[in-house]
Amino acid sequence: MTMHLFSIIVIVITALFSVRVEGNVITLTIDEFYTGVQNNAYDAILDVRTTEEYDSTGHIANATFIESLAGYSKTEAKELLDGYGCQGSCLHIAIYCQSGGRAGRAATLLRDAGFNGTLYNGLGVGQWTAAGYPLVTSPSVEPTCGKKNCSEPLDAPTTSPAPVAAAISHIHMVYLAFSTLIFSYIFY
């Protein structure tokens, strides 16, 4: 019985430290985010920091500034998505802040507000600049969500490795569960 409990604890701890998909939001590494930005893999890149942060440090190229999105209500978030035409299962939206926390909360809010496309937590400008990637001071851009027709069959962008990483995380969890069951069976 203690071996079985030990196996379950190992699975839970491994899951906490290895899965990068949280509530249908894919958390990117900063290099994955940079690659996606460079390859235009996202229909929108949302900067959800404060005005002071946005103005003082600059922002990632082609970002749409939406001040403190994580603090919006579900209704306000839905109205925002509708206003930009960002409702569709084929859409890919990356969100970032200063360090990733507010980006994660904003992504969860958009999911709760009804967005059914793919959401990415791109972490923050802290990680971005630490990796040596540049920030710009150009004006905020209008997202391209409304220009994409989700009724036509489209493939997900293949330029971002995040969907592959998510699939690998799921496969990894299935492998861990299966191997733990086998381990428990042998030693129980």
Side-chain angles (χ1 to χ4, degrees), residues 37-94:
V37 169
Q38 295 304 303
N39 293 315
N40 297 314
Y42 312 112
D43 299 298
I45 302 168
L46 306 182
D47 183 323
V48 299
R49 297 175 297 153
T50 64
T51 300
E52 294 78 26
E53 291 170 315
Y54 184 84
D55 290 341
S56 68
T57 62
H59 58 275
I60 295 170
N62 299 317
T64 302
F65 177 59
I66 302 174
E67 183 173 16
S68 304
L69 175 60
Y72 282 39
S73 70
K74 284 185 197 177
T75 303
E76 291 170 324
K78 181 168 180 6
E79 289 171 358
L80 177 78
L81 289 169
D82 291 343
Y84 283 129
C86 292
Q87 288 287 15
S89 60
C90 70
L91 298 175
H92 299 266
I93 297 178

Coordinates of all heavy atoms in Angstrom, one line a residue, residues 37-94:
V37 N 6.8 35.1 -32.5 CA 6.7 36.5 -32.8 C 7.4 36.8 -34.2 O 6.9 37.4 -35.1 CB 7.3 37.4 -31.7 CG1 7.4 38.9 -32.2 CG2 6.4 37.4 -30.5
Q38 N 8.6 36.2 -34.3 CA 9.4 36.4 -35.5 C 8.7 35.8 -36.7 O 8.9 36.3 -37.8 CB 10.8 35.8 -35.3 CG 11.7 36.5 -34.3 CD 11.8 38.0 -34.6 OE1 12.2 38.4 -35.6 NE2 11.4 38.8 -33.6
N39 N 8.0 34.7 -36.5 CA 7.4 34.0 -37.6 C 5.9 34.3 -37.8 O 5.2 33.7 -38.5 CB 7.5 32.5 -37.5 CG 9.0 32.1 -37.6 OD1 9.7 32.5 -38.5 ND2 9.4 31.2 -36.7
N40 N 5.4 35.4 -37.1 CA 4.0 35.8 -37.2 C 3.1 34.7 -37.0 O 2.1 34.5 -37.7 CB 3.7 36.4 -38.6 CG 4.6 37.7 -38.8 OD1 4.6 38.5 -38.0 ND2 5.2 37.8 -40.0
A41 N 3.3 33.9 -35.9 CA 2.5 32.7 -35.6 C 1.2 33.1 -34.8 O 0.4 32.2 -34.6 CB 3.3 31.7 -34.8
Y42 N 1.1 34.3 -34.4 CA 0.0 34.7 -33.5 C -0.9 35.7 -34.2 O -0.4 36.6 -34.9 CB 0.5 35.3 -32.2 CG 1.6 34.5 -31.5 CD1 2.9 34.9 -31.5 CD2 1.3 33.2 -31.1 CE1 3.9 34.2 -30.9 CE2 2.3 32.4 -30.5 CZ 3.6 32.9 -30.4 OH 4.6 32.1 -29.9
D43 N -2.2 35.5 -34.1 CA -3.2 36.5 -34.6 C -3.2 37.8 -33.8 O -3.7 38.8 -34.3 CB -4.5 35.8 -34.7 CG -4.5 34.6 -35.6 OD1 -4.2 34.8 -36.8 OD2 -4.7 33.5 -35.1
A44 N -2.8 37.7 -32.5 CA -2.7 38.8 -31.7 C -1.7 38.6 -30.6 O -1.5 37.4 -30.2 CB -4.1 39.1 -31.0
I45 N -0.9 39.6 -30.3 CA 0.0 39.6 -29.2 C -0.4 40.7 -28.3 O -0.4 41.9 -28.6 CB 1.5 39.9 -29.7 CG1 1.9 38.9 -30.7 CG2 2.4 39.9 -28.5 CD1 3.2 39.2 -31.5
L46 N -0.9 40.3 -27.1 CA -1.4 41.2 -26.1 C -0.5 41.6 -25.0 O 0.0 40.7 -24.3 CB -2.7 40.7 -25.5 CG -3.8 40.2 -26.5 CD1 -5.0 39.7 -25.7 CD2 -4.2 41.3 -27.5
D47 N -0.2 42.9 -24.8 CA 0.6 43.4 -23.7 C -0.4 43.8 -22.7 O -1.2 44.7 -22.9 CB 1.5 44.5 -24.2 CG 2.4 45.1 -23.1 OD1 2.0 45.1 -22.0 OD2 3.5 45.5 -23.5
V48 N -0.4 43.2 -21.5 CA -1.4 43.4 -20.5 C -0.8 44.1 -19.2 O -1.3 44.0 -18.1 CB -2.1 42.1 -20.1 CG1 -2.9 41.6 -21.3 CG2 -1.2 41.1 -19.5
R49 N 0.3 44.8 -19.4 CA 1.0 45.6 -18.3 C 0.2 46.9 -18.1 O -0.8 47.2 -18.7 CB 2.4 45.8 -18.7 CG 3.2 44.5 -18.8 CD 4.7 44.8 -19.3 NE 4.7 45.4 -20.6 CZ 5.6 46.3 -21.0 NH1 6.7 46.5 -20.2 NH2 5.6 46.8 -22.2
T50 N 0.8 47.6 -17.1 CA 0.2 49.0 -16.9 C 0.7 50.0 -17.9 O 1.8 49.7 -18.6 CB 0.6 49.5 -15.5 OG1 2.0 49.6 -15.4 CG2 0.1 48.5 -14.4
T51 N 0.1 51.1 -18.0 CA 0.6 52.2 -18.9 C 2.0 52.6 -18.5 O 2.8 52.8 -19.4 CB -0.4 53.4 -18.8 OG1 -1.7 53.0 -19.2 CG2 0.1 54.5 -19.7
E52 N 2.3 52.7 -17.2 CA 3.6 53.1 -16.8 C 4.7 52.1 -17.3 O 5.7 52.5 -17.8 CB 3.7 53.2 -15.3 CG 2.8 54.4 -14.7 CD 1.3 54.0 -14.6 OE1 1.0 52.8 -14.5 OE2 0.5 55.0 -14.7
E53 N 4.4 50.8 -17.1 CA 5.3 49.8 -17.6 C 5.5 49.9 -19.1 O 6.6 49.8 -19.6 CB 4.9 48.4 -17.2 CG 4.9 48.1 -15.7 CD 4.2 46.8 -15.4 OE1 3.1 46.6 -15.8 OE2 4.8 46.1 -14.6
Y54 N 4.4 50.0 -19.8 CA 4.4 50.0 -21.3 C 5.2 51.2 -21.8 O 6.0 51.1 -22.7 CB 2.9 50.1 -21.8 CG 2.8 50.0 -23.3 CD1 2.8 48.8 -23.9 CD2 2.6 51.2 -24.0 CE1 2.6 48.7 -25.3 CE2 2.5 51.1 -25.4 CZ 2.4 49.9 -26.0 OH 2.3 49.8 -27.4
D55 N 5.0 52.4 -21.2 CA 5.6 53.6 -21.6 C 7.1 53.7 -21.2 O 7.9 54.2 -22.0 CB 4.9 54.8 -21.1 CG 3.6 55.1 -21.8 OD1 3.3 54.5 -22.8 OD2 2.7 55.8 -21.2
S56 N 7.4 53.1 -20.1 CA 8.8 53.2 -19.6 C 9.8 52.3 -20.2 O 11.0 52.6 -20.3 CB 8.8 53.1 -18.1 OG 8.5 51.8 -17.7
T57 N 9.4 51.1 -20.6 CA 10.3 50.1 -21.1 C 10.2 49.7 -22.5 O 11.1 49.1 -23.1 CB 10.2 48.8 -20.3 OG1 8.9 48.2 -20.5 CG2 10.5 49.0 -18.8
G58 N 9.1 50.1 -23.2 CA 8.9 49.7 -24.5 C 8.1 48.4 -24.5 O 7.6 48.0 -23.4
H59 N 7.9 47.8 -25.6 CA 7.1 46.6 -25.7 C 7.6 45.7 -26.9 O 8.5 46.1 -27.6 CB 5.6 46.9 -26.0 CG 5.4 47.8 -27.2 ND1 5.6 49.1 -27.2 CD2 5.1 47.4 -28.4 CE1 5.3 49.6 -28.4 NE2 5.1 48.6 -29.2
I60 N 7.0 44.5 -26.9 CA 7.4 43.5 -28.0 C 6.7 44.0 -29.3 O 5.6 44.5 -29.3 CB 7.0 42.1 -27.6 CG1 7.8 41.7 -26.4 CG2 7.1 41.1 -28.7 CD1 7.3 40.4 -25.7
A61 N 7.5 43.9 -30.4 CA 7.0 44.3 -31.7 C 5.6 43.7 -32.0 O 5.4 42.5 -31.7 CB 8.0 44.0 -32.8
N62 N 4.8 44.5 -32.6 CA 3.4 44.1 -33.1 C 2.5 43.8 -32.0 O 1.5 43.0 -32.2 CB 3.5 42.9 -34.1 CG 4.3 43.3 -35.3 OD1 4.1 44.4 -35.9 ND2 5.2 42.4 -35.8
A63 N 2.7 44.3 -30.8 CA 1.8 44.0 -29.6 C 0.7 45.0 -29.6 O 0.8 46.2 -30.0 CB 2.6 44.1 -28.3
T64 N -0.5 44.5 -29.1 CA -1.6 45.3 -28.8 C -1.7 45.6 -27.3 O -1.7 44.6 -26.6 CB -2.9 44.6 -29.3 OG1 -2.8 44.3 -30.7 CG2 -4.1 45.4 -29.0
F65 N -1.6 46.8 -26.9 CA -1.6 47.2 -25.5 C -3.1 47.2 -25.0 O -3.9 47.9 -25.5 CB -1.0 48.6 -25.3 CG -1.0 49.0 -23.9 CD1 -0.4 48.2 -22.9 CD2 -1.6 50.2 -23.5 CE1 -0.4 48.7 -21.6 CE2 -1.6 50.6 -22.2 CZ -1.0 49.9 -21.2
I66 N -3.3 46.4 -24.0 CA -4.6 46.3 -23.3 C -4.3 46.4 -21.8 O -4.0 45.4 -21.2 CB -5.4 45.1 -23.6 CG1 -5.6 45.0 -25.1 CG2 -6.7 45.1 -22.9 CD1 -6.3 43.7 -25.6
E67 N -4.3 47.6 -21.3 CA -3.9 47.9 -19.9 C -4.6 47.0 -18.9 O -5.8 47.0 -18.9 CB -4.0 49.3 -19.5 CG -3.5 49.6 -18.1 CD -3.5 51.1 -17.8 OE1 -4.2 51.9 -18.4 OE2 -2.8 51.4 -16.8
S68 N -3.8 46.3 -18.1 CA -4.3 45.5 -17.0 C -5.5 44.6 -17.3 O -6.5 44.5 -16.6 CB -4.7 46.4 -15.8 OG -3.6 47.2 -15.5
L69 N -5.4 43.9 -18.4 CA -6.5 43.0 -18.9 C -6.9 42.0 -17.8 O -8.1 41.6 -17.7 CB -6.1 42.2 -20.2 CG -7.0 41.2 -20.7 CD1 -8.4 41.8 -21.0 CD2 -6.5 40.5 -21.9
A70 N -5.9 41.5 -17.0 CA -6.2 40.5 -16.0 C -7.3 41.0 -15.0 O -8.0 40.3 -14.3 CB -5.0 40.1 -15.2
G71 N -7.5 42.4 -14.9 CA -8.4 42.9 -14.0 C -9.8 43.2 -14.6 O -10.7 43.6 -13.9
Y72 N -10.0 42.8 -15.8 CA -11.3 43.0 -16.5 C -12.3 42.0 -16.0 O -11.9 40.9 -15.5 CB -11.2 42.8 -18.0 CG -10.6 43.9 -18.8 CD1 -9.5 44.7 -18.3 CD2 -11.1 44.2 -20.1 CE1 -9.0 45.7 -19.1 CE2 -10.5 45.2 -20.8 CZ -9.5 46.0 -20.3 OH -9.0 47.0 -21.1
S73 N -13.6 42.3 -16.1 CA -14.6 41.3 -15.8 C -14.8 40.4 -17.1 O -14.3 40.7 -18.1 CB -16.0 42.0 -15.5 OG -16.5 42.5 -16.7
K74 N -15.5 39.2 -16.9 CA -15.7 38.4 -18.0 C -16.5 39.1 -19.1 O -16.2 38.9 -20.3 CB -16.5 37.1 -17.6 CG -15.7 36.1 -16.9 CD -16.5 34.9 -16.6 CE -15.9 34.0 -15.6 NZ -16.8 32.9 -15.2
T75 N -17.4 39.9 -18.7 CA -18.2 40.6 -19.7 C -17.4 41.6 -20.5 O -17.5 41.7 -21.7 CB -19.4 41.4 -19.0 OG1 -20.2 40.4 -18.3 CG2 -20.3 42.1 -20.0
E76 N -16.5 42.3 -19.8 CA -15.6 43.3 -20.4 C -14.6 42.6 -21.4 O -14.4 43.0 -22.5 CB -14.8 44.1 -19.4 CG -15.6 45.1 -18.6 CD -14.9 45.6 -17.4 OE1 -14.1 44.9 -16.8 OE2 -15.1 46.8 -17.1
A77 N -14.1 41.4 -20.9 CA -13.2 40.6 -21.8 C -13.9 40.1 -23.0 O -13.3 40.2 -24.1 CB -12.6 39.5 -21.0
K78 N -15.1 39.7 -22.9 CA -15.9 39.2 -24.1 C -16.1 40.3 -25.0 O -16.0 40.2 -26.3 CB -17.2 38.6 -23.7 CG -18.0 38.0 -24.9 CD -19.1 37.2 -24.5 CE -19.9 36.6 -25.6 NZ -19.5 36.9 -27.0
E79 N -16.5 41.5 -24.5 CA -16.7 42.7 -25.4 C -15.5 43.1 -26.1 O -15.5 43.5 -27.3 CB -17.3 43.9 -24.5 CG -18.7 43.7 -24.1 CD -19.1 44.7 -23.0 OE1 -18.3 45.6 -22.7 OE2 -20.3 44.7 -22.6
L80 N -14.3 43.0 -25.4 CA -13.0 43.3 -26.0 C -12.8 42.3 -27.2 O -12.4 42.8 -28.3 CB -11.9 43.2 -25.0 CG -10.5 43.4 -25.5 CD1 -10.3 44.9 -25.7 CD2 -9.5 42.8 -24.5
L81 N -12.9 41.0 -26.9 CA -12.7 40.0 -28.0 C -13.6 40.3 -29.2 O -13.2 40.2 -30.3 CB -12.9 38.6 -27.4 CG -11.9 38.1 -26.4 CD1 -12.4 36.8 -25.8 CD2 -10.6 37.8 -27.1
D82 N -14.9 40.5 -28.9 CA -15.9 40.8 -29.9 C -15.5 42.0 -30.7 O -15.6 42.0 -32.0 CB -17.3 40.9 -29.4 CG -17.8 39.6 -28.8 OD1 -17.3 38.5 -29.2 OD2 -18.8 39.6 -28.1
G83 N -15.1 43.1 -30.0 CA -14.7 44.3 -30.7 C -13.6 44.2 -31.6 O -13.5 44.8 -32.7
Y84 N -12.6 43.3 -31.3 CA -11.5 43.1 -32.2 C -11.7 42.0 -33.2 O -10.9 41.7 -34.1 CB -10.2 42.7 -31.4 CG -9.5 43.9 -30.7 CD1 -9.2 43.8 -29.4 CD2 -9.2 45.0 -31.4 CE1 -8.6 44.9 -28.7 CE2 -8.5 46.1 -30.8 CZ -8.2 46.0 -29.5 OH -7.6 47.0 -28.9
G85 N -12.9 41.3 -33.1 CA -13.2 40.2 -34.0 C -12.3 39.0 -33.6 O -12.1 38.1 -34.5
C86 N -12.0 38.9 -32.4 CA -11.1 37.8 -31.9 C -11.9 36.6 -31.3 O -11.7 36.3 -30.1 CB -10.1 38.3 -30.9 SG -8.8 39.3 -31.7
Q87 N -12.8 36.1 -32.1 CA -13.6 34.9 -31.6 C -13.5 33.9 -32.7 O -14.1 34.1 -33.7 CB -15.1 35.3 -31.3 CG -15.2 36.1 -30.1 CD -15.0 35.3 -28.8 OE1 -14.5 34.2 -28.8 NE2 -15.5 35.9 -27.7
G88 N -12.9 32.8 -32.5 CA -12.8 31.7 -33.4 C -11.8 30.7 -33.0 O -10.8 31.0 -32.4
S89 N -12.1 29.4 -33.2 CA -11.3 28.3 -32.8 C -10.0 28.2 -33.5 O -9.1 27.6 -33.0 CB -12.1 27.0 -32.9 OG -12.4 26.8 -34.3
C90 N -9.8 28.9 -34.6 CA -8.6 28.8 -35.4 C -7.6 29.9 -35.0 O -6.5 30.0 -35.5 CB -8.9 28.9 -36.9 SG -9.4 30.6 -37.4
L91 N -8.0 30.8 -34.0 CA -7.1 31.9 -33.7 C -6.1 31.5 -32.6 O -6.3 30.7 -31.8 CB -8.0 33.0 -33.2 CG -9.0 33.6 -34.2 CD1 -9.9 34.7 -33.6 CD2 -8.2 34.2 -35.4
H92 N -5.0 32.2 -32.7 CA -3.8 32.0 -31.8 C -3.5 33.4 -31.1 O -3.1 34.3 -31.8 CB -2.6 31.5 -32.5 CG -2.9 30.1 -33.1 ND1 -2.7 28.9 -32.5 CD2 -3.5 29.8 -34.3 CE1 -3.0 27.9 -33.2 NE2 -3.6 28.4 -34.3
I93 N -3.7 33.5 -29.8 CA -3.4 34.7 -29.1 C -2.3 34.5 -28.1 O -2.4 33.6 -27.2 CB -4.6 35.3 -28.4 CG1 -5.7 35.7 -29.5 CG2 -4.3 36.5 -27.6 CD1 -7.0 36.2 -28.9
A94 N -1.2 35.3 -28.2 CA -0.1 35.2 -27.2 C -0.3 36.5 -26.3 O -0.6 37.6 -26.7 CB 1.2 35.3 -27.9

